[in-house]
Amino acid sequence: MKPANIFYAALAIAMLAAVLSGCQRREAGPAEEAGRKIDQATQQANAELKQTGAELKDAAHEVGKELKDAAAITRDKINDATETAGQKLEKAGEKIQESAREAKEAAAKK
């Protein structure tokens, strides 16, 4: 092998060693560690907010269903009360008409 080739091969090996030694993993500094902790806290808060949002949505759906059911029951009770009141008014009207007829007949006989 020629001395120039040996020189270039040695130079390439030295450069490769220098590059690889620069790629060693460093310890995280305080700012990097704080950044990681902030990222973790943000991710945890996001997950908790999503869970809370889902729970609120479920609760709102349940409350809406209960309100709908309560409204249906109230509607039915009001309809029943209206029907009963209407029947009582009709009976009262019939009694008034009967009383008026009787009074008219009594007046005609005199």
Side-chain angles (χ1 to χ4, degrees):
M1 213 182 204
K2 292 184 181 180
N5 289 340
I6 294 174
F7 172 75
Y8 289 124
L11 181 62
I13 290 172
M15 289 176 59
L16 182 61
V19 168
L20 290 177
S21 68
C23 293
Q24 292 179 357
R25 183 165 174 92
R26 307 177 283 144
E27 293 291 322
E32 289 177 11
E33 188 62 31
R36 282 192 192 111
K37 287 181 180 180
I38 290 171
D39 289 344
Q40 289 173 349
T42 302
Q43 289 173 352
Q44 183 178 0
N46 187 28
E48 289 174 4
L49 283 174
K50 284 181 180 180
Q51 177 65 29
T52 302
E55 290 171 2
L56 285 173
K57 182 179 177 182
D58 291 343
H61 184 278
E62 185 64 28
V63 167
K65 184 179 179 291
E66 289 176 10
L67 285 173
K68 185 178 179 181
D69 293 346
I73 291 168
T74 302
R75 180 196 66 227
D76 292 344
K77 287 185 177 187
I78 289 173
N79 286 341
D80 292 345
T82 302
E83 181 69 27
T84 302
Q87 290 171 355
K88 289 183 178 184
L89 282 173
E90 191 172 329
K91 285 182 183 180
E94 289 171 358
K95 286 182 180 181
I96 291 171
Q97 286 178 347
E98 183 63 32
S99 295
R101 259 188 252 121
E102 289 174 1
K104 189 177 178 182
E105 289 174 2
K109 288 184 182 179
K110 285 187 180 187

